[in-house]
Each structure stands twice: as structure tokens, then as C-alpha cells.
Amino acid sequence: MTDHAQEQEMEIEALEAILMDDFKEIDPSESGVSTTNRCFQITLSPQEDDLDASNYTPVQLALIFSHTEKYPDEPPLLNVKSIRGIKTDDLNMLQEKLEGEAYESLGMSMIYTLATSAKEWLHEKYGQNVLDEVVEEPASTKDDIIIPHGEPVTTETFLAWRERFEAELALERAKLMPESALTAPKDKRLTGRQWFESGRAAAKGPTTVPEDSEEEEEIDFDDDFEDDDDEMLEHYLAQKSEKSAEESKN
């Protein structure tokens, strides 16, 4: 013979251990079921298990039950209430669903199974709305420039830097030019690049071309003078050093 009272007590102890704060005993007058027996409430929300329901619960359901005298050989008394955000029509639908599942589970402890079914229904019905309301951090815009250190680079600061750099470069080139290049008439005055290239060509000597060659050798100045700013300075210092050596001999 089945000891219904003992089986019911064991089920309550198991539910307390599994559900903890989501499980509590309530006054029968607050249960919404017609009984004077002990009544219990399970609080359910549509969140997944990895979400913190205590911090974000826009929708919550109360599953209320009370054991009958011959439970689990007969269904428990059930009631569902909206704690927050659940429509009355949906509650009626869920109530009918759970009562049908209770009859299918006769002969075994079923409260946890019914609670799991209610939670799944709640997630299907309201879970997507909950996820849509989660506030996400704004993503960085495409125009943002992230620099680990220093000030952010903007178009204005880059143009200002480039203008200052070109001015300093022009000044250095002017210092490297011989005085004759600077005092010559404007239309005959050499640019820094022309002066440097002529000096390099003289240092290398004339380029010989075989008599039977039909094409003259082409010099790619873009490659030869890719680093002309640094080489101009080295060339000038070398000439200055040779001039100083000659003066010391005389």
C-alpha cells in the first residue's frame, strides 16, 4: 500500500533542495485553490539557466499547487498566477496545459515535471521579448580610430603635421644647396632634387653604353632616389669633409 503522505513530504523536501529561493510555502487563502491543506508556490521566469533571473525579470509566473489526499495517484490542485507581465488568456492556456499533463503523469511525483513544462512554455511565449529588451553596449563606429597611446589622430591634426613636416624638409634642403644655386636667376635655379641628382651623377661618372646597343640605358630615378632626403644629407657631409681635408693640406 502506498504511503501518500510520506511520498508527498519527500517531494516537498526535494523541491526545496532543487529550487531553493524559488520555492516557498504560502497561505492557502492566497493560493487561489479551494483547499485548507498546505500550499506551495514555485516562481518561474523565461530566462535561460545562464541568465540571472533575480536581476532581470520583466516576466514572472507563479505556479501554485497543493497535494490532494491520494496524490500522486490523483492530480494535485493547480493554479497559475502572473507575478509580472503575463496576459490572462495565456494563463488560462497554461492552466489547461498543466492539468492535462498532470493526468498523464498519475502514479509518480510530478510537480517538478510540471514546473519544467511551465518554464519551457514561458520561454517560448515570452523569452524572445525578454532578450529583445536587453540593453547592449553601443558598438564602436566605423570612423573611430583606436590608438593605444597618445592623442587620437584626426584629419585636421594629420594635415597640420604634414604641412609642418614639408616646411621643415624644404628648409633643410635649402641649407644643403650651394650658394650659387640660391643666388642664380629664378628661371635657372636648381631645385634641391635636381642639385642632388646632378651631384650623384657626377660622383658616379659617365655611363657608358655599348656601340652596338640600339637603346640607351634608362635610369629609374624613382628607385635610385627613393630615400633622397637621407642621401642628400650624406652626400653633402661627404663633400664638406673632402673640402675640409683639401684646405688643411694647403
Side-chain angles (χ1 to χ4, degrees), residues 217-240:
E217 181 182 359
E218 294 184 358
I219 299 176
D220 189 347
F221 286 107
D222 291 336
D223 292 337
D224 290 347
F225 301 104
E226 183 176 354
D227 299 324
D228 58 344
D229 294 333
D230 293 334
E231 293 180 0
M232 283 175 65
L233 179 59
E234 293 176 2
H235 179 65
Y236 171 74
L237 293 175
Q239 286 187 336
K240 187 174 181 181

Side-chain angles (χ1 to χ4, degrees), residues 237-248:
L237 293 175
Q239 286 187 336
K240 187 174 181 181
S241 177
E242 292 176 1
K243 185 178 180 180
S244 300
E246 291 175 1
E247 290 178 353
S248 63

Side-chain angles (χ1 to χ4, degrees), residues 1-5 7 70-73:
M1 183 176 180
T2 303
D3 187 345
H4 294 100
E7 192 166 349
K70 296 182 179 181
Y71 172 87
D73 291 332

Side-chain angles (χ1 to χ4, degrees), residues 11-212:
E11 183 180 41
I12 291 173
E13 291 178 1
L15 291 172
E16 288 176 337
I18 296 172
L19 300 175
M20 296 185 291
D21 293 340
D22 292 330
F23 181 84
K24 67 179 180 179
E25 184 172 358
I26 62 175
D27 191 279
S29 62
E30 300 175 356
S31 65
V33 297
S34 299
T35 184
T36 57
N37 295 336
R38 298 175 68 188
C39 294
F40 302 90
Q41 174 179 305
I42 299 173
T43 302
L44 302 171
S45 58
Q47 282 88 339
E48 298 291 349
D49 293 339
D50 58 347
L51 295 178
D52 188 353
S54 63
N55 291 335
Y56 192 77
T57 54
V59 177
Q60 275 189 325
L61 171 73
L63 172 59
I64 300 170
F65 72 92
S66 178
H67 289 138
T68 57
E69 184 179 352
K70 296 182 179 181
Y71 172 87
D73 291 332
E74 61 184 16
L77 298 176
L78 297 173
N79 187 28
V80 289
K81 288 184 177 182
S82 172
I83 298 177
R84 187 180 303 113
I86 304 176
K87 301 176 183 179
T88 301
D89 292 342
D90 291 339
L91 290 174
N92 294 335
M93 184 185 305
L94 178 60
Q95 176 91 20
E96 184 177 350
K97 169 183 169 64
L98 295 179
E99 288 177 352
E101 292 178 358
Y103 276 101
E104 296 175 357
S105 302
L106 291 177
M108 64 183 71
S109 298
M110 66 184 77
I111 299 301
Y112 185 76
T113 300
L114 296 178
T116 301
S117 178
K119 183 178 180 66
E120 291 175 354
W121 176 91
L122 196 60
H123 179 72
E124 292 176 0
K125 195 74 176 176
Y126 293 93
Q128 188 59 44
N129 294 335
V130 171
L131 295 178
D132 290 342
E133 294 179 13
V134 175
V135 179
E136 298 181 354
E137 294 184 1
S140 300
T141 61
K142 295 182 179 179
D143 296 333
D144 289 346
I145 301 176
I146 302 176
I147 301 177
H149 302 285
E151 299 179 358
V153 176
T154 64
T155 302
E156 291 75 12
T157 57
F158 173 76
L159 291 177
W161 170 84
R162 188 177 67 177
E163 182 178 356
R164 183 173 64 253
F165 173 77
E166 291 178 348
E168 293 175 353
L169 183 60
L171 179 60
E172 291 299 323
R173 285 176 174 172
K175 292 179 180 179
L176 295 176
M177 286 185 185
E179 295 184 1
S180 59
L182 296 175
T183 58
K186 185 176 181 180
D187 57 343
K188 297 182 180 180
R189 189 176 302 171
L190 295 177
T191 65
R193 185 183 183 88
Q194 291 171 336
W195 171 80
F196 172 62
E197 291 175 357
S198 63
R200 282 289 300 271
K204 288 183 178 181
T207 302
T208 59
V209 181
E211 294 180 358
D212 57 348

